[in-house]
Amino acid sequence: MKEKITKLINERKYVEVRKEVTKLNVVDIAELLEELDKSSYLILFRILPKDMAAEVFSYLSYEQQRYIIDSITDKEIKNIVDELFFDDMIDIIEEMPANVVKKILKNTKEEERLLINQFLNYPENSAGSLMTIEYVDLKKEMTVKEAIDHIKETGVDKETIYTCYVTDKNRKLEGLVSLRKLVISDDDKTVDEIMERDIIYVNTHDDQEEIAYLFKKYDLMAIPVVDKEGRLTGIITIDDIVDVIEQENTEDFQKMAAMSPSEQEYLETSTLSLAKHRITWLLILMISATFTGSIIRKFEEVLQSVVILAAYIPMLMDTGGNAGAQASTLIIRGMALGEIEIKDILKVIWKELRVSTIVGVILSLVNFMRIYFIDKVSLKVAITVCSTLFFTVVLAKIVGAILPIGARKLKLDPAIMASPLITTIVDAVALILYFSMASWILGL
Amino acid sequence: MKEKITKLINERKYVEVRKEVTKLNVVDIAELLEELDKSSYLILFRILPKDMAAEVFSYLSYEQQRYIIDSITDKEIKNIVDELFFDDMIDIIEEMPANVVKKILKNTKEEERLLINQFLNYPENSAGSLMTIEYVDLKKEMTVKEAIDHIKETGVDKETIYTCYVTDKNRKLEGLVSLRKLVISDDDKTVDEIMERDIIYVNTHDDQEEIAYLFKKYDLMAIPVVDKEGRLTGIITIDDIVDVIEQENTEDFQKMAAMSPSEQEYLETSTLSLAKHRITWLLILMISATFTGSIIRKFEEVLQSVVILAAYIPMLMDTGGNAGAQASTLIIRGMALGEIEIKDILKVIWKELRVSTIVGVILSLVNFMRIYFIDKVSLKVAITVCSTLFFTVVLAKIVGAILPIGARKLKLDPAIMASPLITTIVDAVALILYFSMASWILGL
């Protein structure tokens, strides 16, 4: 496709280019644009029909959007801005540098500019920052026929027409009615008769994670957003929620690998910014790990008399860390999905106690055979290593299960109680166990 | 609510119970049911209006569904089965024990039974296993008015009426038209004139992960599923895709913590099953870690002469593991979201090289101050530890970045190249580095 379009553009066959390109999905056009070189780029973008251009624009990367706004005329900017959905426009404005924002705002209407300012003030990741203002607004006195006619007239510019919102004269949200219900109802029924009154809604300052949870729980397609006075200020649609879900998951992945979360794509993040997101936790964990070191120093004499003990430190530490990571991951994920709650803590501990006993026994037996028969260590050393292994696994699983629940109880994010932190804690305890066992069993 | 309903049920005020409960959302009714004791449970379920009962039923846990089917009459089962969406029914049948399935199948029509068998044969996690058959089917000769009338007549039982599918007489998919387009178009236009022909569709055997990717990329609400001959066999709606996204993320979390993935909720999984999902990787990693042990044994003499070196092994291993986990997590996640591809490998290595240099230098300096000034080790030991730390961090980040991309190249899941495996590899290399450095710098 890319070669074909480039060729047509070079031959200045613009009518044909337009015919070819408008057959494509807007997402694919955006992808095609990103592959073209800069000279063909603007030509192709300008060839697009007005409404399509705005849609394609909203799928481009911020860098590309900036390049386009920098290169096109005010009139062209106005065309795009008029066609863009409000929530997409807010997203773009939030990411652009000041001079580009100025250029965009110059081309919006006075009232729209006020609204933009209001929207920019909503906290990041709040309902306000996610919502759009293009929804269908009905009155309860309308008949079904009047309502459908109203949708016909105004529906083209709405983000969704499948859920319509019923408000009173003070914009207070009174009910909602799906287009489905409208279409299958008799023409002369009133909206009042068929609307739902038990509405699930959110407030402008609610956090996106809770909103995503409501969408998942109630299988919603859209949710209304109201202000403190109960007035409808916007709606959030499911396509934005899908992005929120992936973003929240990415954050959890990052936190669980001891990084401060970032919304930027990896390849687009600067080296310095990547380093900054990683260094804090690495430092904290490194310094904690030196305490593990001081445990070894304290038992230096034990180690000096039976140096072979050192050979099993990595295995004990790694296995403990892995066992703890498994438990903490399941608990963190279970809590994120709302499947595990604080009140389940005893059930969880009891479960991990049983699981870790099974797992611990198998690991210890296999390990015993490995080191007694292959490494040919003495029986006492083998017993020391294997009993430490067993207790480390049990302990790691319990700690890995309790800490995330404890974090939630303390209103911290459970995701930070993941593998790296658990490993550091388990390491220290495992070593104390190890050397105490050794002193006792080997009689040192 | 729970107390109120229980009280009303005990007082046998069933009309009032029904009035109270039908005000609620079906999801909330399902939640309420799960909280009631068994005696009130069935009473409440039987009080529900027929269509509501089926919907509530589809939101109950499998255990509860099983209990209900075991307890109610064949006629009641038939009522539920008639009202259930086809994809929900398939999900339920897949999870029920044989005697319950028999009871359900007895109450379905012959033709439906054939269809159920066909659906049960689709591979797990394929488009076929996700799709539903309740879609709106239009013909291109219909006018907009005829189409809307058709939707009015048949739309009540459809999973979505917002995207309608146009098929020819052989059920071949020809196009699609949104209800939005129908509502805003003139009554006497034909479907042929307004339908989209450039359709994004999937095949019955396509994997759910790819389907979820299409939904995210194109902001879809529903996608048609066709068989090998291009005939429309069903549709998949976004609410099911949201579940797929969370399920795929859960699988990644589990794989990245060295577990074989499971779809069951933690609290509902048996102890044995939990242990089984964890033991394989723990065994593999434990045995790999014993190789790290043999490295230490090989350098036993070095260690014996400078026992203090052992004190810094945990810190080196943990920091290396954490540094590697950060890189591998970002790469695995980036690939899962389609942001990083195999061809980006050189860009990724170059980026990690720079990031790890910055991070490595800072960590080494902090560590130097910590052990030289506080632990008061000799300068040579401090240099040994800190230079090993630096190289370990760089190496860990490069390995952590390359392995997931390599896995993708080999058509393996990048998620298995996560923290546990990276840690084991980095541990071994870090120790070899450490003792080689020590031999060289300390002249042992």
Side-chain angles (χ1 to χ4, degrees):
Chain A
M1 198 66 198
K2 183 191 155 198
E3 289 70 33
K4 194 172 168 190
I5 298 292
T6 313
K7 192 165 164 281
L8 285 174
I9 290 179
N10 288 340
E11 294 167 3
R12 297 171 181 258
K13 295 186 177 157
Y14 298 146
V15 180
E16 239 170 285
V17 173
R18 185 177 168 134
K19 211 180 109 191
E20 280 297 326
V21 170
T22 47
K23 270 192 234 161
L24 298 175
N25 185 294
V26 284
V27 180
D28 294 324
I29 302 178
E31 240 177 38
L32 176 68
L33 267 178
E34 309 222 341
E35 283 174 20
L36 292 183
D37 52 62
K38 297 239 157 167
S39 60
S40 320
Y41 190 100
L42 270 185
I43 297 177
L44 179 55
F45 186 76
R46 286 183 151 139
I47 288 174
L48 296 173
K50 229 168 67 177
D51 54 333
M52 218 171 199
E55 253 195 289
V56 168
F57 185 80
S58 72
Y59 280 107
L60 292 172
S61 69
Y62 293 125
E63 210 179 308
Q64 311 261 358
Q65 289 172 339
R66 186 175 156 180
Y67 170 67
I68 288 187
I69 295 187
D70 268 342
S71 319
I72 61 181
T73 66
D74 277 10
K75 186 157 172 286
E76 286 173 311
I77 294 177
K78 196 169 176 317
N79 283 341
I80 294 176
V81 167
D82 282 351
E83 295 283 336
L84 272 181
F85 282 122
F86 197 76
D87 56 341
D88 290 335
M89 181 148 69
I90 297 293
D91 283 350
I92 293 165
I93 288 177
E94 274 174 343
E95 295 294 329
M96 292 292 130
N99 62 322
V100 178
V101 172
K102 225 167 127 187
K103 233 179 144 181
I104 297 177
L105 289 182
K106 211 174 70 186
N107 291 291
T108 51
K109 288 172 222 110
E110 172 68 27
E111 44 171 55
E112 209 168 36
R113 223 166 313 160
L114 286 174
L115 214 50
I116 290 174
N117 270 323
Q118 183 195 329
F119 268 62
L120 289 175
N121 279 326
Y122 289 120
E124 211 187 344
N125 300 338
S126 70
S129 75
L130 279 175
M131 69 187 179
T132 186
I133 47 168
E134 286 99 352
Y135 54 84
V136 177
D137 196 1
L138 301 177
K139 299 293 162 205
K140 61 180 175 193
E141 300 79 27
M142 288 178 170
T143 64
V144 168
K145 186 164 185 331
E146 282 167 353
I148 291 181
D149 285 344
H150 179 74
I151 295 170
K152 272 195 197 201
E153 270 164 47
T154 61
V156 192
D157 296 328
K158 304 304 181 192
E159 175 117 12
T160 181
I161 63 170
Y162 299 136
T163 314
C164 307
Y165 300 90
V166 185
T167 55
D168 71 7
K169 59 178 190 301
N170 297 319
R171 282 205 298 130
K172 273 233 168 103
L173 182 62
E174 291 184 311
L176 58 82
V177 57
S178 63
L179 180 58
R180 171 192 208 122
K181 191 82 179 237
L182 284 172
V183 166
I184 60 179
S185 294
D186 292 334
D187 276 356
D188 48 0
K189 279 210 167 150
T190 64
V191 168
D192 199 16
E193 286 172 274
I194 61 170
M195 76 181 188
E196 275 174 58
R197 285 152 212 279
D198 178 39
I199 315 167
I200 296 155
Y201 62 87
V202 292
N203 287 300
T204 44
H205 283 68
D206 286 354
D207 185 73
Q208 61 177 14
E209 199 166 358
E210 292 158 41
I211 303 169
Y213 179 72
L214 289 177
F215 269 84
K216 286 185 276 183
K217 180 169 178 190
Y218 295 103
D219 285 344
L220 303 174
M221 289 290 157
I223 202 165
V225 183
V226 301
D227 64 13
K228 267 182 263 153
E229 284 77 36
R231 287 177 307 206
L232 184 60
T233 50
I235 62 166
I236 299 172
T237 48
I238 181 128
D239 51 317
D240 294 322
I241 290 301
V242 169
D243 298 339
V244 167
I245 291 174
E246 288 294 30
Q247 188 190 321
E248 294 288 337
N249 278 318
T250 301
E251 273 185 26
D252 277 357
F253 276 110
Q254 291 171 336
K255 283 187 201 150
M256 287 169 75
M259 284 175 279
S260 21
S262 150
E263 284 180 21
Q264 261 188 310
E265 283 190 21
Y266 175 82
L267 289 173
E268 288 173 11
T269 315
S270 73
T271 305
L272 262 181
S273 164
L274 280 174
K276 222 176 68 191
H277 280 99
R278 297 181 189 183
I279 191 71
T280 320
W281 271 104
L282 282 182
L283 274 174
I284 295 174
L285 293 168
M286 182 183 79
I287 291 171
S288 321
T290 55
F291 289 106
T292 316
S294 29
I295 296 170
I296 296 187
R297 295 189 74 177
K298 230 186 111 194
F299 289 97
E300 222 171 274
E301 279 170 37
V302 179
L303 203 56
Q304 198 132 33
S305 49
V306 195
V307 179
I308 182 80
L309 287 177
Y312 300 107
I313 292 180
M315 185 274 294
L316 286 172
M317 284 174 43
D318 281 353
T319 309
N322 291 333
Q326 291 181 331
S328 69
T329 300
L330 285 184
I331 304 304
I332 292 170
R333 185 66 184 155
M335 284 200 287
L337 295 177
E339 296 167 358
I340 299 174
E341 287 165 46
I342 296 174
K343 67 174 168 52
D344 297 319
I345 187 157
L346 288 179
K347 266 190 258 176
V348 169
I349 294 177
W350 176 227
K351 196 154 235 171
E352 287 303 322
L353 205 59
R354 285 175 297 161
V355 173
S356 59
T357 306
I358 299 174
V359 171
V361 166
I362 298 176
L363 289 175
S364 300
L365 286 179
V366 172
N367 196 53
F368 184 85
M369 300 210 264
R370 166 87 173 79
I371 67 174
Y372 186 66
F373 293 108
I374 301 180
D375 288 0
K376 299 207 187 303
V377 299
S378 73
L379 184 64
K380 283 190 173 175
V381 169
I383 292 176
T384 305
V385 172
C386 294
S387 50
T388 306
L389 179 62
F390 174 80
F391 289 116
T392 303
V393 168
V394 174
L395 181 101
K397 291 220 176 275
I398 303 288
V399 170
I402 292 178
L403 285 190
I405 301 182
R408 166 65 55 89
K409 178 83 189 166
L410 296 172
K411 312 240 183 266
L412 295 171
D413 188 335
I416 59 168
M417 296 299 178
S419 172
L421 201 60
I422 306 274
T423 303
T424 309
I425 297 171
V426 169
D427 280 358
V429 190
L431 280 178
I432 295 178
L433 252 169
Y434 191 40
F435 289 118
S436 311
M437 286 276 187
S439 312
W440 182 54
I441 296 178
L442 301 170
L444 298 168
Chain B
M1 198 66 200
K2 183 191 154 195
E3 289 70 33
K4 194 172 167 190
I5 298 290
T6 313
K7 192 164 165 279
L8 286 174
I9 290 179
N10 289 340
E11 292 165 2
R12 296 169 183 258
K13 296 187 177 158
Y14 298 145
V15 180
E16 239 170 286
V17 173
R18 185 175 167 134
K19 210 180 110 193
E20 281 297 326
V21 171
T22 48
K23 271 193 234 158
L24 297 176
N25 185 296
V26 284
V27 181
D28 293 325
I29 302 178
E31 240 177 38
L32 176 67
L33 267 179
E34 310 222 339
E35 283 173 18
L36 292 183
D37 52 62
K38 298 239 158 170
S39 61
S40 320
Y41 190 100
L42 271 184
I43 298 177
L44 178 55
F45 186 76
R46 285 182 152 138
I47 288 173
L48 296 172
K50 228 168 68 176
D51 54 334
M52 218 170 199
E55 253 197 288
V56 169
F57 184 80
S58 72
Y59 281 106
L60 292 172
S61 69
Y62 294 126
E63 211 179 308
Q64 311 261 358
Q65 289 172 339
R66 187 175 155 180
Y67 171 68
I68 288 187
I69 295 187
D70 269 342
S71 321
I72 62 180
T73 66
D74 277 9
K75 187 159 169 288
E76 284 172 311
I77 294 178
K78 196 169 175 318
N79 282 341
I80 293 177
V81 167
D82 282 350
E83 295 284 336
L84 272 181
F85 281 123
F86 197 76
D87 57 340
D88 289 336
M89 180 148 70
I90 297 292
D91 283 350
I92 292 165
I93 289 177
E94 275 174 341
E95 295 295 327
M96 293 292 131
N99 63 322
V100 177
V101 172
K102 224 166 128 188
K103 229 176 146 183
I104 297 177
L105 289 182
K106 212 174 71 187
N107 292 291
T108 52
K109 288 171 223 112
E110 170 70 25
E111 45 171 52
E112 209 168 35
R113 222 166 313 161
L114 286 174
L115 212 50
I116 289 174
N117 269 323
Q118 183 196 328
F119 268 61
L120 288 175
N121 279 325
Y122 289 119
E124 210 188 342
N125 299 339
S126 69
S129 75
L130 281 175
M131 68 186 180
T132 186
I133 48 168
E134 286 99 354
Y135 53 85
V136 177
D137 195 1
L138 302 177
K139 299 292 162 204
K140 62 180 174 191
E141 301 77 29
M142 289 177 169
T143 63
V144 167
K145 183 161 187 334
E146 283 166 354
I148 291 181
D149 285 345
H150 179 75
I151 296 170
K152 274 195 193 199
E153 270 164 46
T154 62
V156 191
D157 296 329
K158 305 303 181 192
E159 174 117 12
T160 180
I161 62 169
Y162 298 135
T163 314
C164 306
Y165 300 90
V166 185
T167 56
D168 70 7
K169 59 179 190 300
N170 298 317
R171 281 206 297 132
K172 273 231 166 103
L173 182 62
E174 292 184 310
L176 58 82
V177 58
S178 63
L179 180 59
R180 170 192 208 123
K181 191 84 179 233
L182 284 171
V183 166
I184 61 179
S185 293
D186 293 334
D187 275 357
D188 49 359
K189 277 208 171 154
T190 63
V191 168
D192 198 15
E193 285 172 273
I194 61 170
M195 76 182 188
E196 273 173 60
R197 283 153 213 277
D198 179 38
I199 316 167
I200 297 156
Y201 62 89
V202 292
N203 287 298
T204 43
H205 284 68
D206 286 353
D207 185 72
Q208 62 178 14
E209 198 166 358
E210 292 158 42
I211 303 169
Y213 179 72
L214 289 176
F215 269 84
K216 286 186 274 182
K217 180 170 178 188
Y218 294 104
D219 285 345
L220 302 175
M221 289 290 157
I223 202 166
V225 184
V226 301
D227 63 13
K228 267 181 259 153
E229 284 77 36
R231 287 177 307 208
L232 183 61
T233 51
I235 61 165
I236 299 171
T237 48
I238 182 132
D239 51 317
D240 294 322
I241 291 300
V242 169
D243 297 339
V244 167
I245 291 174
E246 288 294 30
Q247 188 190 322
E248 293 288 337
N249 279 318
T250 301
E251 273 185 25
D252 277 356
F253 275 110
Q254 290 171 337
K255 283 186 200 150
M256 288 168 75
M259 283 175 280
S260 22
S262 151
E263 284 179 22
Q264 262 187 309
E265 282 189 24
Y266 175 83
L267 289 174
E268 288 173 10
T269 315
S270 72
T271 305
L272 262 182
S273 165
L274 280 174
K276 222 177 67 190
H277 279 99
R278 297 181 189 183
I279 190 73
T280 320
W281 271 105
L282 282 183
L283 274 173
I284 295 174
L285 293 168
M286 182 183 79
I287 291 172
S288 319
T290 55
F291 290 105
T292 317
S294 29
I295 297 171
I296 296 187
R297 296 189 73 179
K298 232 187 109 193
F299 288 96
E300 221 171 275
E301 279 169 38
V302 180
L303 205 56
Q304 199 133 30
S305 49
V306 193
V307 180
I308 182 82
L309 287 176
Y312 300 107
I313 292 179
M315 185 274 294
L316 285 172
M317 284 174 43
D318 281 352
T319 309
N322 291 334
Q326 291 180 330
S328 69
T329 300
L330 286 184
I331 304 303
I332 292 169
R333 185 67 182 154
M335 284 200 288
L337 295 176
E339 296 166 0
I340 299 174
E341 288 165 46
I342 295 174
K343 67 173 169 53
D344 297 319
I345 186 158
L346 288 178
K347 266 189 259 178
V348 169
I349 293 177
W350 176 227
K351 196 153 236 171
E352 287 303 322
L353 206 59
R354 285 174 298 162
V355 174
S356 58
T357 306
I358 299 174
V359 171
V361 166
I362 298 176
L363 290 174
S364 301
L365 285 181
V366 172
N367 196 53
F368 185 86
M369 300 207 267
R370 167 86 174 77
I371 67 174
Y372 186 68
F373 293 108
I374 301 179
D375 288 0
K376 298 208 189 301
V377 300
S378 72
L379 184 63
K380 282 188 174 179
V381 169
I383 292 176
T384 304
V385 173
C386 294
S387 50
T388 306
L389 180 61
F390 174 79
F391 289 117
T392 303
V393 167
V394 173
L395 181 101
K397 291 223 177 270
I398 303 288
V399 169
I402 292 179
L403 286 190
I405 302 183
R408 168 65 54 90
K409 178 83 189 165
L410 297 172
K411 311 238 182 269
L412 296 171
D413 189 335
I416 58 167
M417 297 298 178
S419 172
L421 200 61
I422 306 274
T423 303
T424 309
I425 296 171
V426 169
D427 280 358
V429 189
L431 281 179
I432 295 178
L433 253 170
Y434 190 40
F435 289 118
S436 310
M437 286 277 187
S439 313
W440 182 56
I441 296 178
L442 301 170
L444 297 169

